[in-house]
Amino acid sequence: MAKAWYILHTYSGYENKIERTIRTLIEKGIISAEFVTDIKIPEELVIENKGGKKRNVKRKFLPGYMLIEMNLPDFGWKNVCSEIRKIQGVTGFLGTAGNEKPQPISSEEAKEILQKTGEIKGDKNIRVIQNFSEGQHVKIIEGAFASFTGVIDEVMADKNKLRVMVAIFGRTTPVEVEMSQAEII
């Protein structure tokens, strides 16, 4: 037996309830703690910018999916998996049909997901939730260009940055700022 991460598919919005149910089944001894060792719901930290106010919010970035770390022996895995599959809101293990043994995800995939959630150290990006588009007028609220206003020239969503054209000494100059440093006016 070797520990591996498996992905459980659930109804969206049921993840926390299913996690509590699995933990209850472990406490009651219906599922052995040596088979199910950990449960994670993939969430990331995002910054919501509404009405000029910033809030740090945890959001599920894989809604409808959970990670379960399990030791599945060659014999005896059916009881554990069938108990988990019986939980209301569970549709099954990802990539596995009904009564087949679940297939684990690779350690690289697990590491990537756990880094994004902040469970293990790595490049953890905090996303900004605000819909910016080219041509919008924005005010820079933080950083070296605070209090400048300008027009968005380019939105670089993958980097959480904006290229804003601001007027400095009467000339239009492109400035790169983090999305969290700007707000729509």
Side-chain angles (χ1 to χ4, degrees):
M1 285 195 310
K3 284 185 191 179
W5 286 99
Y6 297 83
I7 296 184
L8 185 66
H9 187 254
T10 67
Y11 293 155
S12 187
Y14 280 62
E15 301 91 350
N16 293 331
K17 180 180 179 184
I18 293 168
E19 178 188 13
R20 285 191 305 271
T21 303
I22 293 171
R23 292 192 190 281
T24 302
L25 292 174
I26 292 169
E27 288 171 11
K28 290 182 178 179
I30 297 169
I31 296 175
S32 173
E34 69 181 50
F35 292 132
V36 177
T37 56
D38 202 0
I39 305 167
K40 303 283 184 209
I41 299 172
E43 296 177 319
E44 64 182 336
L45 187 65
V46 295
I47 298 174
E48 264 186 355
N49 201 347
K50 286 187 179 178
K53 294 184 180 182
K54 293 181 188 176
R55 290 183 2 202
N56 290 341
V57 180
K58 281 199 161 213
R59 287 258 167 90
K60 293 177 180 79
F61 67 87
L62 294 173
Y65 295 96
M66 300 172 59
L67 273 80
I68 300 181
E69 187 178 39
M70 297 190 290
N71 279 323
L72 291 183
D74 291 332
F75 301 103
W77 63 266
K78 283 189 177 185
N79 294 335
V80 174
C81 293
S82 67
E83 285 297 327
I84 292 172
R85 285 186 182 115
K86 281 194 265 181
I87 298 170
Q88 183 178 359
V90 171
T91 59
F93 288 93
L94 192 66
T96 311
N99 291 326
E100 294 177 14
K101 185 175 181 180
Q103 296 300 311
I105 60 174
S106 70
S107 58
E108 292 82 28
E109 289 173 314
K111 180 181 174 186
E112 185 178 317
I113 292 170
L114 293 172
Q115 278 181 338
K116 193 170 182 182
T117 63
E119 294 291 330
I120 57 177
K121 293 194 185 226
D123 294 335
K124 183 179 167 190
N125 289 339
I126 298 175
R127 285 192 320 135
V128 177
I129 303 293
Q130 189 165 355
N131 295 327
F132 291 106
S133 59
E134 293 176 12
Q136 281 183 318
H137 290 275
V138 293
K139 179 179 181 182
I140 301 171
I141 54 174
E142 289 179 10
F145 298 98
S147 77
F148 280 83
T149 59
V151 177
I152 298 175
D153 184 47
E154 182 182 0
V155 177
M156 298 170 275
D158 55 331
K159 297 178 184 177
N160 275 335
K161 291 190 175 193
L162 301 170
R163 180 171 296 129
V164 181
M165 301 301 284
V166 296
I168 301 174
F169 302 119
R171 294 187 181 191
T172 306
T173 307
V175 173
E176 273 191 21
V177 295
E178 299 283 329
M179 286 185 182
S180 62
Q181 295 177 324
E183 65 181 22
I184 299 169
I185 51 173

